[in-house]
Amino acid sequence: MKARILGKTGYQVSEIGLGCWQLGNDFGPVEDQEASAILHTAVDQGISFFDTADVYGGGLSEQRIGQWRQSLSRQPIIATKVGRDAALYPDAYNKAAIKKSLQASAKRLGVEVIDLAQLHCVPREVLFGGDIFAWMEDLKQEGIIKHFGASVEMLDEAIFCCAHPQLASLQILFNIFRQDAVDSLFPLAEQNEVGVIVRLPLASGLLSGKMTLDHAFDKGDHRSYNKDGVAFHVGETFNGIPYEKGVALVEQLKAKLPEGQNILDVSLRWILDHPQVSSIIAGASRSSQVVRNAAVSALPPLDGELHKLLSEFYRQQVRKEIRGGI
Ligand SMILES: NC(=O)c1ccc[n+]([C@@H]2O[C@H](COP(=O)([O-])OP(=O)(O)OC[C@H]3O[C@@H](n4cnc5c(N)ncnc54)[C@H](OP(=O)(O)O)[C@@H]3O)[C@@H](O)[C@H]2O)c1
């Protein structure tokens, strides 16, 4: 597994990380044994970067990580998020409440100081208001967190955050069906030494190539209850693309790929071909997926022709289908 530097943190993180939302059972139930197997497999595959949040399963994802990490001789980097808990969201943000949330996260994770705390898609007015960054600076000074970053929905939010002198990382939605950051954000992120963490690399699993029109999602899975953005931002689940359209687009693209290439490897490798990306936090609901995804770090870069095909397909077929703005 190759490693890259995560922006201003200076941490060496594995190119393929692990997204741990599913460990909160928010994609349907993951038994304790499977959750533990997923985490252990990740480390066995050389994964050293894990992303979670206080709200994943109401703290369950952090708890599982906290328990598991006690068994490790070498500690991975664990990034969590703050800002969507009912104590803060949508309009009760203040430094004391953020500090309390972070202290609760640290306790669940079993750490003294949080490696990286990311603002978790906080409302636009809170983000652009600016006070929240000053509070995060203070909390860094106080030793509650080592570094802070932000996870955002929209590119204008990402660009705004990038300008903050202490912002270490940005977590964005980026994949072959969401390519705009290449031109609008990456040059700035590089210039400001902001590490890019990629979420939804497989567009909630669509880009694994296995989804079909009759695929049934668990009713507790956000891919069922937030399919059309009823519960949270419409641009998030399935990358903002209506499910049926997404399945059709994947099938169309599969037919265009050169012989011997499959859409899952192409999707993850395409992301890694952008040097501004520090780590891809791919989600996985079973260990075999972790193994498969981790293996992409060893694949060679895609050739120029394939990059061109993917760029054209995105611009001509996919971009117009994304709901909720980019
Ligand atoms: N606002 C935010 O900050 C925010 C929002 C969303 C996500 N995130 C972070 O980003 C991480 C990743 O997002 P995500 O899990 O929603 O999206 P994702 O990584 O695009 O998709 C993960 C899903 O793809 C499928 N999959 C993964 N690897 C596979 C493989 N090798 N073969 C077949 N299927 C595979 C699995 O679906 P099945 O379970 O159906 O098999 C898995 O649950 C999250 O865990 C979380 O840490 C952050």
Side-chain angles (χ1 to χ4, degrees):
M1 172 69 71
K2 296 190 190 99
R4 299 185 183 189
I5 300 285
L6 179 61
K8 294 186 194 82
T9 67
Y11 297 145
Q12 289 263 2
V13 292
S14 51
E15 287 185 333
I16 305 289
L18 184 71
C20 296
W21 186 9
Q22 76 291 2
L23 300 187
N25 292 351
D26 298 315
F27 283 55
V30 176
E31 300 301 327
D32 283 343
Q33 212 180 349
E34 187 60 54
S36 168
I38 288 170
L39 291 165
H40 281 292
T41 303
V43 169
D44 292 346
Q45 297 302 309
I47 290 178
S48 63
F49 184 59
F50 296 77
D51 177 80
T52 183
D54 56 354
V55 288
Y56 293 166
L60 177 65
S61 172
E62 287 183 333
Q63 256 165 24
R64 282 174 157 170
I65 293 170
Q67 217 166 31
W68 155 78
R69 60 168 285 283
Q70 287 174 25
S71 65
L72 303 176
S73 48
R74 189 151 170 234
Q75 289 302 310
I77 304 293
I78 299 167
T80 193
K81 303 190 210 77
V82 63
R84 297 292 287 205
D85 180 74
L88 296 163
Y89 182 82
D91 55 6
Y93 294 89
N94 62 71
K95 188 177 134 187
I98 291 180
K99 182 173 175 175
K100 201 169 159 198
S101 284
L102 287 169
Q103 285 172 324
S105 285
K107 197 166 173 204
R108 284 188 290 269
L109 290 169
V111 296
E112 295 268 311
V113 187
I114 290 173
D115 292 331
L116 175 65
Q118 304 160 98
L119 298 174
H120 195 177
C121 296
V122 300
R124 287 173 74 78
E125 58 280 12
V126 174
L127 194 73
F128 289 113
D131 287 349
I132 201 160
F133 290 106
W135 301 334
M136 296 305 275
E137 280 177 38
D138 288 352
L139 295 171
K140 194 175 150 189
Q141 283 291 325
E142 288 177 33
I144 307 290
I145 58 177
K146 290 184 189 160
H147 299 280
F148 66 88
S151 178
V152 296
E153 297 285 2
M154 314 293 288
L155 277 173
D156 66 337
E157 296 170 348
I159 289 163
F160 173 79
C161 291
C162 232
H164 189 282
Q166 287 197 36
L167 189 101
S169 66
L170 261 176
Q171 186 181 130
I172 58 161
L173 218 161
F174 181 65
N175 58 52
I176 57 170
F177 280 7
R178 181 77 78 112
Q179 302 190 8
D180 289 52
V182 173
D183 297 323
S184 59
L185 178 68
F186 285 0
L188 194 64
E190 190 166 11
Q191 193 184 317
N192 293 6
E193 216 193 327
V194 172
V196 174
I197 299 168
V198 169
R199 75 170 184 267
L200 260 81
L202 297 174
S204 309
L206 263 182
L207 294 169
S208 68
K210 71 179 177 192
M211 303 288 181
T212 53
L213 290 182
D214 56 2
H215 192 98
F217 296 99
D218 188 281
K219 71 176 183 338
D221 188 331
H222 73 99
R223 294 173 296 183
S224 166
Y225 69 77
N226 195 49
K227 208 172 174 177
D228 296 312
V230 175
F232 50 90
H233 197 270
V234 70
E236 196 71 45
T237 302
F238 298 124
N239 202 39
I241 299 172
Y243 181 68
E244 293 71 16
K245 187 73 204 174
V247 171
L249 285 168
V250 168
E251 291 308 313
Q252 239 179 296
L253 179 58
K254 273 186 190 170
K256 287 176 182 284
L257 291 181
E259 182 97 29
Q261 294 277 12
N262 72 79
I263 193 154
L264 188 144
D265 290 339
V266 165
S267 296
L268 295 180
R269 189 60 245 181
W270 179 85
I271 298 171
L272 289 183
D273 286 353
H274 297 88
Q276 297 84 358
V277 170
S278 299
S279 187
I280 298 179
I281 46 164
S285 57
R286 57 196 73 107
S287 310
S288 55
Q289 295 178 349
V290 179
V291 175
R292 173 75 196 273
N293 300 345
V296 174
S297 173
L299 295 178
L302 306 180
D303 66 33
E305 277 302 300
L306 187 46
H307 270 281
K308 193 161 162 247
L309 183 153
L310 294 169
S311 165
E312 280 173 8
F313 188 78
Y314 172 68
R315 277 187 283 112
Q316 290 163 13
Q317 311 287 334
V318 182
R319 196 175 186 280
K320 59 183 183 233
E321 306 295 344
I322 299 171
R323 297 170 294 183
I326 294 177

